[in-house]
Amino acid sequence: MLDPVTKLRPILARKLSLAGELAGEDLDALTWAVKQVRRVPAHTVLIDEGDRPEYVHVVLEGFAFRYKVLPDGERQVLAWLVPGDFCDLHVAVLGEMDHAIATVSESTIGQIPTDQVEQLAQTSPALSRALWWASLVQEAILREWLVNLGRRTAEGRMAHFFCELHARLASVELVGDGALDFPLTQAELADSLGISAVHTNRTLQVLRDAGLVQWTGRKLVLANIDGLRKLAQFDPNYLHLQPRSRRGNPSNAAPGAFV
Amino acid sequence: MLDPVTKLRPILARKLSLAGELAGEDLDALTWAVKQVRRVPAHTVLIDEGDRPEYVHVVLEGFAFRYKVLPDGERQVLAWLVPGDFCDLHVAVLGEMDHAIATVSESTIGQIPTDQVEQLAQTSPALSRALWWASLVQEAILREWLVNLGRRTAEGRMAHFFCELHARLASVELVGDGALDFPLTQAELADSLGISAVHTNRTLQVLRDAGLVQWTGRKLVLANIDGLRKLAQFDPNYLHLQPRSRRGNPSNAAPGAFV
DNA sequence: CGGGCTTTTGAGCCAAATCAAAAATAGTGG
DNA sequence: CCACTATTTTTGATTTGGCTCAAAAGCCCG
């Protein structure tokens, strides 16, 4: 279980540092704006379609996911939200939610009053920019998912999903030598990849038998990341994780940088 | 051909009025910020993956589209940009483009220097909010497309695409009794729907034979919108086009409102 | 009127869906 | 700690939606 006081700030810091430099005071202000830290059971709806939330939610521990359910009952997962991710930074502008968000695993969720976020953003351009960045990266991920569903086979989609989650969790230091938390069922994975649950199972077996991944309990091990990346045609550029000044490792970069 | 001076402002006005009230001065400021209005041929790349654009592009006439191309040559269209849509409002925050944008038809494109947009947004909260709204609606469309590719059949996808385009063009007053401009080839439609060109053709025939659509030349007629909406399970909520105070037509709404 | 797109058709094939049932796991309460 | 459920995973058999390859027909436009 997370200790709100000592762990909240580091999580926000790790995440937002990816957007660029951020002053300590800005981080403090954001940390203090988190009015509640709730412990939420697995499979709990945090925000439902049609809601007009008064709080911005931040995932601090555990996994949550965006999703939509069609009239015929089909469900599509739209995004996975991992520690450091904001759930609904900008709903206020749109008015009401056009999708729902729920936890998969038991999670710790921070809540910031919507108006306080707006106020903070107005006070600090750097913080505003960092929150923007977080929001735009989520949009970039959405675009890549569209490519995933539109133009990759089941194997490619799954491999891509694993690579992305690995990269995202690694960026907030939640990967211990290739092993990451993976509290999903195969049915939930299926709804993320746009394939059936049965086919998800069979596709998974292919990746397993090829020695690419191991999935035991709620732990996922990417046993052969290069193989997965190749299979997935994975290019992490869209995650915008590398410092903006150093993209593509140009020859004039300092040797050893970012190793 | 568009007359920059007399038509630019109305296009921006129609689009941004959907976000809520906007003062005349704000619109003027934005209009004046458009430094260039370019006439661009069909099939021209406006911004490429990896670019760091100095201008924000606005479509004034014609259609453009976002897309990504995979190493194996597969292409996925990520979004269609129609008159009033901004192409790259916020790339500055992310640094570089993770996808490309090109025209399909001959188009008129307005260009606003990136720093001027930022400055305008800082000066006018209302304008800032309107631009935000435009950006977030594009994200909402992206989410719905994910549902489309993940959980609808080819027929449903195509019907949904037609319904969406109709709604979007109608919102900027570009639909004349069910007929809309549709300058795509079937191959481009295929890359939008995540299906093959051949299957696109056959799916189209099904919709045509069912009397749902007519597509001749570059004009598309939705002959049976209700039928299309049903087939597509189309719910326009995600476009966030209705005034925020009046969602779902509650019983206390004035009779005849929004007819 | 000819050459390059775009659309259409045909035939065969394959990836993934569906339906159904068995095996394995994970919880839960006694 | 074990029996009893409920969920999750796995397997099998069959069907189908959509893909590929290839060629023909239709268009547009100089």
Side-chain angles (χ1 to χ4, degrees):
Chain A
M1 170 60 192
L2 173 132
D3 169 6
V5 184
T6 55
K7 292 206 184 155
L8 174 54
R9 199 190 125 119
I11 291 173
L12 296 174
R14 270 200 297 273
K15 178 72 186 182
L16 295 181
S17 71
L18 298 168
E21 289 299 318
L22 198 58
E25 306 89 71
D26 287 340
L27 255 176
D28 287 337
L30 185 64
T31 306
W32 289 119
V34 178
K35 292 303 177 208
Q36 294 178 43
V37 174
R38 296 200 291 142
R39 193 74 189 155
V40 181
H43 305 289
T44 308
V45 175
L46 293 176
I47 317 160
D48 214 341
E49 199 170 331
D51 283 0
R52 298 166 173 274
E54 293 161 31
Y55 294 93
V56 169
H57 298 72
V58 203
V59 179
L60 301 174
E61 282 180 327
F63 283 21
F65 62 106
R66 298 180 193 281
Y67 66 98
K68 279 197 184 191
V69 179
L70 290 177
D72 67 4
E74 291 277 7
R75 182 177 70 167
Q76 176 65 45
V77 172
L78 306 169
W80 284 96
L81 301 166
V82 302
D85 285 335
F86 293 85
C87 296
D88 40 22
L89 251 186
H90 306 113
V91 229
V93 175
L94 285 182
E96 71 180 39
M97 289 289 290
D98 53 37
H99 62 279
I101 301 179
T103 57
V104 245
S105 57
E106 194 182 7
S107 306
T108 311
I109 306 291
Q111 295 185 323
I112 312 175
T114 307
D115 48 7
Q116 286 221 29
V117 176
E118 280 183 32
Q119 208 180 311
L120 280 175
Q122 235 143 48
T123 322
S124 159
L127 189 56
S128 169
R129 198 180 177 84
L131 294 176
W132 261 98
W133 172 87
S135 173
L136 292 171
V137 167
Q138 290 196 12
E139 189 177 329
I141 292 173
L142 219 42
R143 281 192 293 266
E144 187 62 34
W145 277 40
L146 206 64
V147 177
N148 216 23
L149 298 212
R151 290 294 178 231
R152 272 188 268 255
T153 65
E155 286 173 29
R157 290 184 205 185
M158 193 177 287
H160 192 279
F161 181 78
F162 290 157
C163 289
E164 176 187 299
L165 198 62
H166 178 268
R168 287 174 58 193
L169 289 175
S171 78
V172 288
E173 291 159 41
L174 286 172
V175 176
D177 45 59
L180 38 115
D181 202 29
F182 199 78
L184 322 202
T185 64
Q186 291 184 15
E188 286 152 353
L189 180 56
D191 284 345
S192 307
L193 302 179
I195 59 181
S196 72
V198 172
H199 197 54
T200 298
N201 181 273
R202 294 197 232 259
T203 303
L204 187 58
Q205 290 179 45
V206 173
L207 299 195
R208 269 203 291 238
D209 294 349
L212 295 169
V213 294
Q214 295 159 232
W215 179 6
T216 33
R218 39 182 295 148
K219 282 288 166 207
L220 181 74
V221 178
L222 305 201
N224 178 357
I225 297 195
D226 289 343
L228 283 169
R229 293 197 166 168
K230 199 176 161 197
L231 178 61
Q233 300 184 282
F234 181 76
D235 173 353
N237 263 357
Y238 73 97
L239 293 171
H240 297 271
L241 291 176
Q242 294 197 29
R244 256 172 282 125
S245 49
R246 290 281 182 76
R247 269 300 175 62
N249 191 35
S251 51
N252 61 349
F258 305 113
V259 176
Chain B
M1 170 60 193
L2 174 133
D3 168 8
V5 183
T6 57
K7 291 206 183 155
L8 174 55
R9 199 189 126 118
I11 291 173
L12 296 173
R14 272 202 296 273
K15 178 71 186 186
L16 295 180
S17 71
L18 298 167
E21 290 300 318
L22 199 57
E25 307 89 71
D26 286 340
L27 256 176
D28 287 337
L30 186 63
T31 306
W32 289 121
V34 178
K35 292 303 176 213
Q36 295 178 44
V37 174
R38 294 200 290 141
R39 192 75 188 154
V40 180
H43 304 290
T44 307
V45 175
L46 292 176
I47 316 159
D48 214 342
E49 200 169 331
D51 282 359
R52 300 164 171 274
E54 292 160 32
Y55 293 93
V56 170
H57 298 71
V58 204
V59 178
L60 301 174
E61 284 180 325
F63 283 21
F65 62 107
R66 297 181 194 280
Y67 65 97
K68 278 197 184 190
V69 178
L70 291 176
D72 67 5
E74 291 279 7
R75 182 178 71 167
Q76 176 64 45
V77 171
L78 305 169
W80 284 96
L81 302 166
V82 302
D85 285 335
F86 293 86
C87 296
D88 40 20
L89 250 184
H90 305 114
V91 229
V93 174
L94 285 182
E96 71 180 42
M97 290 288 290
D98 53 38
H99 62 279
I101 302 179
T103 57
V104 244
S105 56
E106 193 183 8
S107 306
T108 311
I109 306 291
Q111 295 186 323
I112 313 174
T114 307
D115 48 5
Q116 284 220 32
V117 176
E118 279 183 32
Q119 207 181 312
L120 280 174
Q122 234 144 49
T123 322
S124 160
L127 189 57
S128 168
R129 200 182 176 81
L131 295 176
W132 260 98
W133 172 87
S135 171
L136 292 171
V137 167
Q138 291 197 10
E139 188 176 331
I141 292 173
L142 218 41
R143 282 192 293 267
E144 188 63 32
W145 276 41
L146 206 64
V147 177
N148 216 23
L149 297 213
R151 290 295 177 231
R152 272 187 268 255
T153 64
E155 286 174 29
R157 290 184 205 185
M158 194 178 285
H160 193 279
F161 181 77
F162 291 158
C163 289
E164 177 188 298
L165 198 62
H166 177 267
R168 287 174 58 192
L169 289 176
S171 78
V172 288
E173 292 157 40
L174 287 172
V175 176
D177 44 61
L180 39 116
D181 201 29
F182 199 77
L184 322 202
T185 65
Q186 291 185 15
E188 286 152 354
L189 180 56
D191 284 345
S192 307
L193 302 179
I195 59 182
S196 72
V198 171
H199 197 54
T200 298
N201 181 273
R202 294 196 232 259
T203 303
L204 186 58
Q205 290 178 45
V206 173
L207 299 195
R208 268 202 292 238
D209 294 349
L212 295 170
V213 293
Q214 294 159 233
W215 179 6
T216 33
R218 38 182 295 150
K219 281 288 167 209
L220 182 74
V221 178
L222 307 199
N224 178 358
I225 297 196
D226 289 343
L228 283 169
R229 292 198 165 168
K230 199 176 162 198
L231 178 60
Q233 300 186 282
F234 181 76
D235 172 353
N237 264 356
Y238 73 98
L239 293 171
H240 298 270
L241 291 176
Q242 295 198 27
R244 254 172 281 125
S245 49
R246 289 281 183 75
R247 269 298 177 61
N249 191 36
S251 52
N252 61 350
F258 306 113
V259 175

